[in-house]
Amino acid sequence: MSDTRPKLLIVEDDPGLQRQLRWAYDDYRLFIAGDRDEAIEMLRAETPDVVTLDLGLPPDPDGTSEGFATLADMLRIKPDTKIIVASGHGARDSALEAIAGGAYDFYQKPVDIDELGLIVRRAFHVHALEQENARLADSPPADAQVLGRLITSAPEMSRVARTIERVAHTDVSVLLLGGSGTGKALLAEGLHDASPRRDAPFVTVNCAALPEPLLEAELFGGMPGGGARAGSGRIAQARGGTLFLDEVGDMPLTMQAKLLLFLQERRIDAADSDAPASADVRIVCASHRDLEEMAASGAFREDLYYRLAEIVVRIPPLKDRPGDPALLARHFLNRLAQDLNPQVKGLAPDALAALDAWSWPGNVRELENRMKRAVIMADGKLITAADLDLDEDAADGEAVNLKAAREMADRRAIRRAMARTDGNISGAARMLGISRPTLYDLLKQYQMQG
């Protein structure tokens, strides 16, 4: 039976310490290297996820030059490796330099086996999370994808998707209501793709982007102020398929009357034809406005509203879709990092906390824009809350009870300590005045693990 334990490479030239470390790690498959060449050979052959590296390697056992060269070679060969460097007493500057050069963490000699064991376990955990980040972003799990391309893990959005799937096989008009950036256009495309009209055109018209004369020409064809030409408008182009009227609440009242006439007759009067042209088109509309309220106040034609709103689907904002901010952030990270900053591999704990706490007034569109900024601005492998430009006080909001207030205070203090120590667990724990295991427990409790 094959050994499925995680692989740990120990780069250490002291035989006594090699034996001590070998006995300490029953949970891992151990590989030992005593110098740079052996370490590189082991890395290529076994591809371990975590490495402990003594910077004082021969032929420079009293210095760090060979250790730093080994660190650089390893990260060049396998950039996702979590390398934990050994720092002799009083050699903190070398350890910090190694972390700036890409090392994951450091430990001090003489070795505290228990403390090093915690660092190693954390390194394996973070590596696994980064791999999961990449896997989710590359190919979101089946239960996170609905209507083909919509990525969600929120029950609220799953209910929306199920509603759309049910009505897709009918020809009823569907009205999608939701804030800007909630995914109305994506849902409209999903509806079309799930319908019997999927092989016919899906045509979009943004009613807010065009003044009335241009909007009329866009829909019905022809030049502004002139008669329609058969087959030249978006309605004609969508024949047999779906016409998506985005932001239909911004359509002028006179234009609403013309749309209503078309919906009643399903024909287009063309100036270059004696007979009106029929148009077999399914209508799907979207708006960030409350059209029912607008119809009641006279700002939108009531008769048109009831024509368009045979089925009304309300799309929840991103802040009401638990789990989706982090899921979508990972998706955008992987897509954007390839072109903008390939070194970025995942999200730091403070970034995950900030994503979860932010109210997302711009919904998914805001999240995508913030992720684009973060990928560009990130200096290391993990995106931080600072890269996302999320104000932690605004993100926290007001606590509704003492338990929530304590959690907010804990999160805020942990985020600050992690940021000030560049994500170093040992340094953050010391700054917070707690032990490393306690900090690990808090990170797990508040789901702030990167």
Side-chain angles (χ1 to χ4, degrees):
M1 185 175 178
S2 61
D3 192 341
T4 60
R5 291 176 299 171
K7 296 178 180 180
L8 171 64
L9 171 59
I10 296 172
V11 185
E12 172 59 60
D13 67 322
D14 182 337
L17 191 52
Q18 285 181 1
R19 288 192 297 273
Q20 185 182 3
L21 293 173
R22 188 189 293 274
W23 295 333
Y25 295 116
D26 292 334
D27 295 335
Y28 309 111
R29 292 179 61 189
L30 291 188
F31 301 90
I32 307 291
D35 57 34
R36 179 180 172 188
D37 289 341
E38 285 185 5
I40 297 304
E41 183 180 350
M42 287 282 188
L43 184 75
R44 291 185 187 277
E46 301 297 339
T47 62
D49 295 330
V50 178
V51 175
T52 65
L53 171 64
D54 185 358
L55 292 176
L57 293 176
D60 184 24
D62 296 323
T64 58
S65 60
E66 192 69 7
F68 276 110
T70 305
L71 173 66
D73 285 348
M74 285 184 158
L75 291 175
R76 186 174 61 253
I77 295 167
K78 190 172 181 287
D80 65 327
T81 308
K82 297 292 177 236
I83 302 177
I84 305 162
V85 299
S87 165
H89 183 70
R92 181 179 175 82
D93 289 345
S94 294
L96 294 177
E97 183 182 346
I99 289 174
Y104 165 72
D105 207 337
F106 68 90
Y107 64 98
Q108 289 190 329
K109 286 188 172 183
V111 177
D112 181 325
I113 293 296
D114 291 335
E115 181 178 356
L116 180 55
L118 286 172
I119 298 173
V120 167
R121 282 197 295 276
R122 175 65 178 170
F124 276 110
H125 178 65
V126 170
H127 184 277
L129 285 176
E130 289 181 4
Q131 295 301 305
E132 181 69 2
N133 275 349
R135 187 187 69 79
L136 285 173
D138 261 337
S139 178
D143 60 358
Q145 287 186 283
V146 295
L147 290 175
R149 291 190 297 129
L150 183 70
I151 297 171
T152 184
S153 61
E156 295 81 0
M157 282 301 286
S158 296
R159 285 193 289 270
V160 167
R162 284 197 298 272
T163 299
I164 288 176
E165 287 169 343
R166 287 194 185 105
V167 303
H169 293 280
T170 71
D171 260 345
V172 297
S173 297
V174 176
L175 175 61
L176 303 170
L177 296 180
S180 177
T182 50
K184 299 186 293 294
L186 198 60
L187 287 168
E189 286 188 65
L191 188 155
H192 172 76
D193 292 341
S195 77
R197 297 175 178 266
R198 66 179 68 87
D199 295 325
F202 175 83
V203 178
T204 298
V205 176
N206 190 323
C207 300
L210 298 170
E212 182 177 351
L214 290 178
L215 180 57
E216 180 178 0
E218 186 81 358
L219 282 172
F220 297 102
M223 298 297 292
R229 292 197 313 273
S232 64
R234 292 301 184 95
I235 292 176
Q237 293 170 17
R239 187 176 286 115
T242 302
L243 178 68
F244 174 48
L245 299 177
D246 198 8
E247 298 303 347
V248 71
D250 292 293
M251 181 179 285
L253 283 168
T254 51
M255 206 43 232
Q256 291 177 30
K258 294 173 182 177
L259 177 61
L260 177 63
L261 181 62
F262 163 73
L263 292 175
Q264 291 170 337
E265 300 185 358
R266 295 286 173 164
R267 292 180 179 276
I268 304 171
D269 292 321
D272 57 352
S273 175
D274 293 333
S278 64
D280 172 26
V281 174
R282 184 194 192 145
I283 304 294
V284 178
C285 298
S287 179
H288 70 283
R289 299 169 179 257
D290 188 334
L291 293 194
E292 186 173 15
E293 184 178 296
M294 291 177 66
S297 67
F300 195 87
R301 289 187 65 111
E302 189 173 22
D303 45 4
L304 177 60
Y305 171 75
Y306 287 113
R307 283 272 183 177
L308 299 177
E310 291 179 310
I311 297 290
V312 177
V313 179
R314 299 184 185 276
I315 306 167
L318 184 58
K319 68 181 178 64
D320 293 337
R321 289 149 57 173
D324 275 8
L327 185 68
L328 288 163
R330 291 177 177 121
H331 169 73
F332 291 135
L333 184 154
N334 188 73
R335 196 187 75 195
L336 295 167
Q338 294 176 6
D339 295 326
L340 300 178
N341 192 350
Q343 73 163 338
V344 177
K345 303 298 181 184
L347 297 157
D350 68 333
L352 287 170
L355 286 167
D356 194 40
W358 193 249
S359 62
W360 299 111
N363 293 294
V364 179
R365 191 171 295 119
E366 179 192 356
L367 173 57
E368 183 174 12
N369 289 339
R370 286 188 181 275
M371 286 302 299
K372 183 177 293 185
R373 177 195 189 279
V375 168
I376 293 170
M377 297 301 295
D379 290 324
K381 293 181 180 180
L382 299 181
I383 284 174
T384 66
D387 296 328
L388 289 164
D389 195 26
L390 291 177
D391 179 81
E392 62 185 25
D393 293 324
D396 284 339
E398 292 186 10
V400 295
N401 56 47
L402 284 174
K403 181 180 178 182
R406 292 189 191 101
E407 180 173 337
M408 283 182 183
D410 284 352
R411 285 178 179 273
R412 188 159 47 240
I414 291 169
R415 284 203 300 269
R416 286 174 176 163
M418 293 289 285
R420 291 175 185 175
T421 59
D422 294 325
N424 181 272
I425 297 292
S426 298
R430 283 194 296 272
M431 184 175 290
L432 292 166
I434 58 178
S435 66
R436 286 174 60 100
T438 299
L439 179 53
Y440 284 135
D441 289 343
L442 288 172
L443 289 169
K444 183 177 180 180
Q445 177 183 340
Y446 297 140
Q447 299 182 338
M448 295 172 68
Q449 295 149 315

